[in-house]
Amino acid sequence: MDLLHPTGRPRVMGVVNVTPDSFSDGGRYATSEAAVAHGLRLLADGADLLDIGGESTRPGATRPVVSEELARVVPVIRELAAAGAVVSVDTMRAEVAEAALAAGAMVVNDVSGGLADPAMLRVVASAGAPYVAMHWRAHSDHMTDFARYDAPGGVVAAVRDELAARVEAMLAAGIAAERVVLDPGLGFAKRGEHNWELLADLAPLQALGLPLLVGASRKSFLGSLLGPDDGPPRPVDEREHAHAAVLAHLTRLGVWGVRVHDVRAARDAIAATVAIASREGSG
């Protein structure tokens, strides 16, 4: 399976959070058994790959120790890979990435783009694995302090330039460009308006010439959009209809992949969008 080869639709990355404090599922899959069962359900629903993570990156989250993160993800990766899943490990730590690849993971999804652990790029280069590098400025416990984009071009120009700098670092470390996927990092050191601005203008990021993965699923900017003006955001599990509209937009833009929690709903939204696009102008 050539993960980075175009397919005519975004690849669907199903999220498996093996954490007790995830924003999206509240620790529902914190045990290995529950996480594996959930991963198998996502595969049955049509996930192209599964993203296994053992560290919550919600705003304000504190980091687990390395041994705890390893204990969370490695058994789940081993079982799901053995079941035939294409597995991505969601980690910022080189040690976890190395162990995950040894357990059967094929992709490293690093939300820090190599900034959190200086050894990450070396590990990825040595393994020859595809590498998803996200735009990132700081760890979750203080990332909101860095949600400022006051320079000319605003958030779009800043994300483009900072990702371009990370690509240079990856290439210098020996990671081949054809193995790199970029992620604009919706919700990471970004306020709601920043996320919408990025979604409305991804072309400068696509102009970097590398595939894009976008993760909007269940994020707070959707909840804020849908909630009452003077009330709380729409609950996490009631944001899927708005997310389907975002997926249709991303499908039309030709992004490489989308990171989602509800795989079946995502595949449905993508299929309908592709069906319409394939018939446009035929009448």
Side-chain angles (χ1 to χ4, degrees):
M1 178 183 186
D2 185 352
L3 283 173
L4 304 188
H5 186 75
T7 63
R9 63 162 176 84
R11 293 194 184 276
V12 176
M13 175 186 279
V15 178
V16 181
N17 292 315
V18 196
T19 59
D21 56 345
S22 166
F23 86 93
S24 63
D25 51 40
R28 205 174 303 166
Y29 313 114
T31 67
S32 294
E33 293 79 7
V36 169
H38 181 57
L40 293 174
R41 285 192 295 271
L42 295 181
L43 279 181
D45 285 342
D48 295 296
L49 63 164
L50 301 177
D51 196 37
I52 316 300
E55 174 181 352
S56 173
T57 51
R58 63 177 174 77
T62 55
R63 305 194 73 190
V65 297
V66 176
S67 59
E68 187 174 12
E69 186 180 352
L70 285 166
R72 290 174 180 177
V73 301
V74 170
V76 176
I77 289 169
R78 186 176 291 117
E79 285 203 45
L80 288 171
V86 177
V87 175
S88 165
V89 60
D90 177 3
T91 186
M92 291 182 274
R93 289 173 164 141
E95 183 177 346
V96 175
E98 198 164 30
L101 291 167
M106 294 179 61
V107 180
V108 176
N109 179 19
D110 178 0
V111 300
S112 81
L115 290 170
D117 187 340
M120 179 64 88
L121 299 186
R122 174 184 55 78
V123 166
V124 172
S126 176
Y131 184 53
V132 181
M134 197 188 79
H135 177 263
W136 183 90
R137 286 183 163 182
H139 286 291
S140 298
D141 57 352
H142 63 289
M143 67 179 174
T144 55
D145 298 337
F146 293 84
R148 296 182 61 87
Y149 300 91
D150 300 327
V155 66
V156 174
V159 170
R160 178 200 61 206
D161 293 348
E162 290 169 32
L163 281 176
R166 297 313 303 151
V167 172
E168 289 184 11
M170 293 172 222
L171 297 179
I175 300 174
E178 57 266 25
R179 292 194 281 110
V180 175
V181 176
L182 300 179
D183 182 337
L186 301 182
F188 286 77
K190 297 172 187 71
R191 304 191 187 283
E193 63 269 22
H194 299 141
N195 299 316
W196 291 117
E197 288 168 21
L198 282 163
L199 285 171
D201 191 14
L202 284 174
L205 276 65
Q206 291 177 302
L208 293 174
L210 296 171
L212 287 186
L213 172 74
V214 181
S217 180
R218 298 185 178 176
K219 290 193 173 177
S220 61
F221 73 99
L222 295 177
S224 297
L225 174 75
L226 302 172
D229 291 340
D230 57 351
R234 180 82 63 83
V236 167
D237 57 356
E238 296 179 15
R239 302 172 184 175
E240 195 57 45
H241 297 305
H243 182 232
V246 173
L247 290 173
H249 170 66
L250 294 171
T251 300
R252 285 188 168 273
L253 290 180
V255 302
W256 169 82
V258 289
R259 186 177 184 274
V260 309
H261 297 85
D262 188 332
V263 167
R264 186 176 184 184
R267 287 296 300 260
D268 288 354
I270 290 168
T273 305
V274 170
I276 293 169
S278 69
R279 290 163 176 79
E280 288 177 341
S282 62

